[in-house]
Amino acid sequence: MKLYFKHIAFTVILFGIATILYMLMFGFSLAYNGNSMATSLHNEGPHITWYSNDTLQIDFIQQVDKNQHIVKRMKLHSDELKEVNCYYPLDSTQFSIPIQNWMIEDSLSFNTHNKIFAVSDMEGNFNTLRKLLTNNNVIDSNLNWTFGAGHLVLLGDFVDRGSFVTQTLWFIYKLEVQAREKGGYVHYILGNHELKNLYGDYYAASQKYLQAAGILGRQQFELYNNQSFLGRWLESKNVLVKINDNLFVHGGLHPDVVKYNFSLDAINSIVKNSYRVFPYQSTEPDSVKLVKSNQTGICWYRGYFDSDFKEESLDLILNKFKVSHIVVGHTIQEEVNRLFNGKLFAIDV
């Protein structure tokens, strides 16, 4: 009888684990203590769409009652739109976003004596990002840039899974504009989840955004297509940045990269030029597949954490690109992890 109950208990535990994994895979969130506001679509937006005559359509979703939503919509010429607001429902925070009708193209290399602060893999968790930047004096309590001429490096995966991707992306956009006005920089380095959204794979997105797209009369992938303001903005971002002797990438550079005559600019261009293409092209040269595939690509690679990875392989990469350290996100750590005698920093915690 005791053995029988042990089997039942073991089955229940396995079922519970399977249920949780299923929920996470399909976009459910265990965060916010079940707060229904996390999935609320009231004041969801702005979702801004470009049209060929430089007209912008600005959409907000508003909730009329429990089961009914309407779309508040306006159209302006791109020169007329100077500012929009974004709303965070959990504490009714509202912040304004200065809109520019051009995209900031970031450089790939910087030398600076100013502070550098790096963070990765927030995955739509606006509140955690806000707290982290506030506690480290990057922003003030009103969400304004206070980091002066410092460099904020965002190492990818700020989308998917979480319930506040819209707020997170507009918050980053706002900081990017404000930082440049103060002589500082926001380097938004794309991760594999940003790439997924750009080429239409929304499998890991919160179900909230599937519903939002439907209310807007769109499909999910259209939230970040090349007519979307946020989609175009994401397209303008890079997959790496070198600051002093530090190379920041989301996943990592595969050791085989040293076999090819690649510059950092060439690697960035290969990946950037394929943002709208699935990374599974079998007809491409091996060198191209190496830096963009979903196994060895710079936004996907996890090999630094394999037990058979050798420090000598990392040294070859560092020497090739004339850096002393690589900083990565993507692979979860219990704390900021300093590996290979400080040559590798893993910051996805």
Side-chain angles (χ1 to χ4, degrees):
M1 183 63 71
K2 288 182 180 179
L3 184 63
Y4 175 73
F5 280 114
K6 283 182 181 178
H7 279 277
I8 292 177
F10 184 68
T11 302
V12 169
I13 291 169
L14 284 179
F15 180 77
I17 292 172
T19 301
I20 291 170
L21 289 173
Y22 178 86
M23 291 169 69
L24 290 173
M25 286 173 63
F26 287 92
F28 293 88
S29 174
L30 301 181
Y32 311 110
N33 297 318
N35 191 331
S36 63
M37 292 302 292
T39 56
S40 170
L41 289 170
H42 185 56
N43 285 331
E44 162 64 24
H47 291 278
I48 303 178
T49 307
W50 287 88
Y51 290 95
S52 57
N53 58 355
D54 270 347
T55 298
L56 295 177
Q57 177 176 296
I58 303 96
D59 291 335
F60 286 90
I61 297 173
Q62 295 187 328
Q63 188 166 352
V64 178
D65 55 39
K66 184 177 181 180
N67 298 309
Q68 184 181 2
H69 296 83
I70 61 171
V71 178
K72 183 180 179 182
R73 175 170 293 166
M74 62 178 175
K75 292 186 177 183
L76 296 170
H77 189 273
S78 59
D79 290 336
E80 298 177 291
L81 183 60
K82 304 299 182 185
E83 187 176 271
V84 291
N85 291 326
C86 190
Y87 177 77
Y88 176 65
L90 290 195
D91 61 8
S92 300
T93 293
Q94 187 165 285
F95 57 94
S96 61
I97 307 150
I99 296 295
Q100 299 177 336
N101 59 6
W102 69 91
M103 302 300 173
I104 295 174
E105 294 285 344
D106 200 10
S107 297
L108 296 181
S109 182
F110 294 84
N111 289 302
T112 181
H113 296 293
N114 294 297
K115 291 181 179 180
I116 304 167
F117 186 80
V119 60
S120 78
D121 296 78
M122 286 288 106
E123 298 183 347
N125 195 333
F126 168 80
N127 194 42
T128 298
L129 179 60
R130 170 176 61 175
K131 288 181 177 179
L132 188 63
L133 297 184
T134 302
N135 291 340
N136 286 279
N137 301 313
V138 177
I139 63 171
D140 63 21
S141 59
N142 294 316
L143 309 184
N144 292 313
W145 180 265
T146 57
F147 206 41
H151 291 249
L152 172 62
V153 184
L154 305 174
L155 265 186
D157 283 9
F158 285 77
V159 302
D160 281 348
R161 293 195 177 97
S163 298
F164 300 105
V165 172
T166 304
Q167 291 82 353
T168 299
L169 291 179
W170 282 118
F171 179 37
I172 295 170
Y173 179 91
K174 166 191 170 73
L175 293 181
E176 180 182 73
V177 174
Q178 287 188 331
R180 289 299 177 103
E181 293 173 350
K182 303 292 185 181
Y185 294 88
V186 173
H187 309 284
Y188 186 3
I189 303 304
L190 299 194
N192 60 304
H193 280 275
E194 281 86 4
L195 298 194
K196 284 183 175 185
N197 280 265
L198 288 175
Y199 63 68
D201 179 357
Y202 51 85
Y203 182 75
S206 167
Q207 289 291 297
K208 170 181 179 177
Y209 293 104
L210 183 63
Q211 183 183 3
I215 293 169
L216 294 170
R218 303 172 194 168
Q219 296 186 57
Q220 170 92 32
F221 72 90
E222 292 179 294
L223 296 180
Y224 304 108
N225 68 7
N226 56 15
Q227 279 189 280
S228 155
F229 190 101
L230 288 176
R232 287 191 182 184
W233 174 65
L234 288 171
E235 275 185 341
S236 74
K237 302 304 167 198
N238 298 317
V239 294
L240 58 88
V241 66
K242 177 183 174 184
I243 306 178
N244 300 333
D245 62 346
N246 307 295
L247 179 60
F248 296 87
V249 300
H250 177 68
L253 288 169
H254 191 280
D256 286 351
V257 75
V258 301
K259 297 178 181 179
Y260 302 99
N261 188 28
F262 277 138
S263 64
L264 292 177
D265 182 69
I267 292 171
N268 186 66
S269 295
I270 288 171
V271 183
K272 193 170 183 178
N273 291 335
S274 63
Y275 279 171
R276 297 293 184 182
V277 182
F278 274 63
Y280 317 119
Q281 303 300 311
S282 59
T283 58
E284 293 174 320
D286 289 344
S287 58
V288 172
K289 287 190 284 188
L290 180 71
V291 297
K292 61 175 279 191
S293 86
N294 66 332
Q295 297 295 321
T296 62
I298 190 170
C299 297
W300 304 80
Y301 182 61
R302 299 185 192 271
Y304 299 150
F305 307 97
D306 292 343
S307 59
D308 59 350
F309 186 86
K310 299 295 189 293
E311 186 174 341
E312 291 79 8
S313 297
L314 184 63
D315 288 336
L316 291 174
I317 299 170
L318 297 175
N319 291 335
K320 178 177 177 62
F321 297 110
K322 297 178 173 60
V323 294
S324 300
H325 316 95
I326 296 179
V327 186
V328 300
H330 190 47
T331 303
I332 295 174
Q333 312 292 309
E334 291 187 5
E335 59 185 2
V336 173
N337 202 355
R338 182 176 177 270
L339 300 164
F340 304 113
N341 294 306
K343 298 170 186 175
L344 179 74
F345 288 87
I347 67 168
D348 177 10
V349 295

